[in-house]
Amino acid sequence: MLSFVEDPKGVVRRGYDVLSRAYRADDADDGVYADWLDMLERRVEPGSSVLDLGCGCGVPVARRLAQRYSVTGIDFSAVQIERARRLVPKTTFVCADMTTLRFPTESFAAVTCFYALIHLPLDEQPALIRSVAQWLRPGGLFAASVGHKAWTGLEKDWLGVKGGDMWWSHADADTYKRWLADAGLRLELEKFVPEGAGGHTFVLATR
Ligand SMILES: C[S@@+](CC[C@H](N)C(=O)[O-])C[C@H]1O[C@@H](n2cnc3c(N)ncnc32)[C@H](O)[C@@H]1O
């Protein structure tokens, strides 16, 4: 595990271009996301606008959300977006860096961001959370997976894919909770989801 990287976002974007299919099959099931999507569906009116940040190939999150909502998926990997457009038709997918997005305030009833915030440099993460709070309508939901323990690192040939280098930067769970509160988001639920020797914190917060 290497920690210094000159262009971390470039590593992440190129990495997902290379290992998109190794990360997620076209027909993957709802897996670890199922409970969170269930909760969201119980709380968010059908027909609402939902934003999925770092949507990947659209499976399973946008695929499931698109059955009830008007979904906008954002990802900066051209390969992920190309797959998402094919796998989840009639949904809007935009190939862009999520930190460059601009939406009118109160545009969305919910924003999801699974396993993607942790690919931003740490100094960009609180600003993105503040933007999410502005884009949400009052009472809107933010469902995300964030870090559990603080660490930053690069893994070469991630998932065994040659050239599929990957980079992450996690703050610890308490820091994410502070960033949510500072942005005006109220934490409703938090759950540690183990993975290998570590894991992630899933959060559900309300504006
Ligand atoms: C681990 S994948 C998760 C995909 C999807 N959210 C899921 O959970 O199935 C992370 C995704 O976030 C995207 N991503 C990372 N940083 C991004 C950024 N700055 N802007 C847009 N997308 C980004 C990557 O390209 C990748 O597709």
Side-chain angles (χ1 to χ4, degrees), residues 1-197:
M1 194 80 65
L2 308 168
S3 57
F4 176 75
V5 173
E6 198 157 326
D7 173 21
K9 284 184 171 180
V11 170
V12 172
R13 185 174 45 74
R14 288 189 296 275
Y16 281 104
D17 279 349
V18 172
L19 53 75
S20 170
R21 280 171 188 78
Y23 180 77
R24 184 66 42 78
D26 283 7
D27 60 353
D29 63 21
D30 287 355
V32 72
Y33 309 92
D35 289 350
W36 300 82
L37 296 172
D38 288 349
M39 271 187 275
L40 194 140
E41 285 181 359
R42 281 196 292 274
R43 300 273 299 272
V44 179
E45 286 288 304
S48 300
S49 295
V50 175
L51 176 67
D52 186 21
L53 294 171
C55 61
C57 70
V59 171
V61 175
R63 178 186 66 192
R64 167 93 178 259
L65 293 172
Q67 292 170 24
R68 293 165 77 99
Y69 305 117
S70 169
V71 177
T72 302
I74 309 291
D75 205 288
F76 69 177
S77 155
V79 173
Q80 295 276 61
I81 286 292
E82 179 277 318
R83 287 184 70 208
R85 287 179 177 146
R86 183 169 50 77
L87 295 171
V88 193
K90 299 190 192 133
T91 297
T92 302
F93 290 104
V94 180
C95 193
D97 181 338
M98 65 175 101
T99 64
T100 66
L101 300 172
R102 301 285 176 269
F103 294 107
T105 55
E106 304 184 6
S107 294
F108 297 100
V111 177
T112 53
C113 185
F114 293 116
Y115 299 101
L117 190 66
I118 52 175
H119 284 303
L120 298 183
L122 278 185
D123 61 357
E124 297 185 22
Q125 295 186 23
L128 198 270
I129 293 171
R130 287 196 298 275
S131 294
V132 167
Q134 287 179 357
W135 300 332
L136 280 174
R137 300 212 297 257
L141 291 184
F142 180 44
S145 51
V146 297
H148 176 66
K149 269 182 151 170
W151 73 271
T152 292
L154 178 138
E155 198 168 322
K156 292 200 82 63
D157 300 338
W158 187 44
L159 304 176
V161 176
K162 188 125 188 67
D165 297 351
M166 192 45 65
W167 181 88
W168 300 262
S169 198
H170 294 212
D172 63 19
D174 284 343
T175 301
Y176 285 106
K177 286 192 262 184
R178 180 162 49 79
W179 288 344
L180 290 170
D182 289 349
L185 295 170
R186 190 168 50 83
L187 184 66
E188 286 198 10
L189 258 176
E190 170 193 2
K191 185 180 176 196
F192 174 62
V193 177
E195 188 182 312

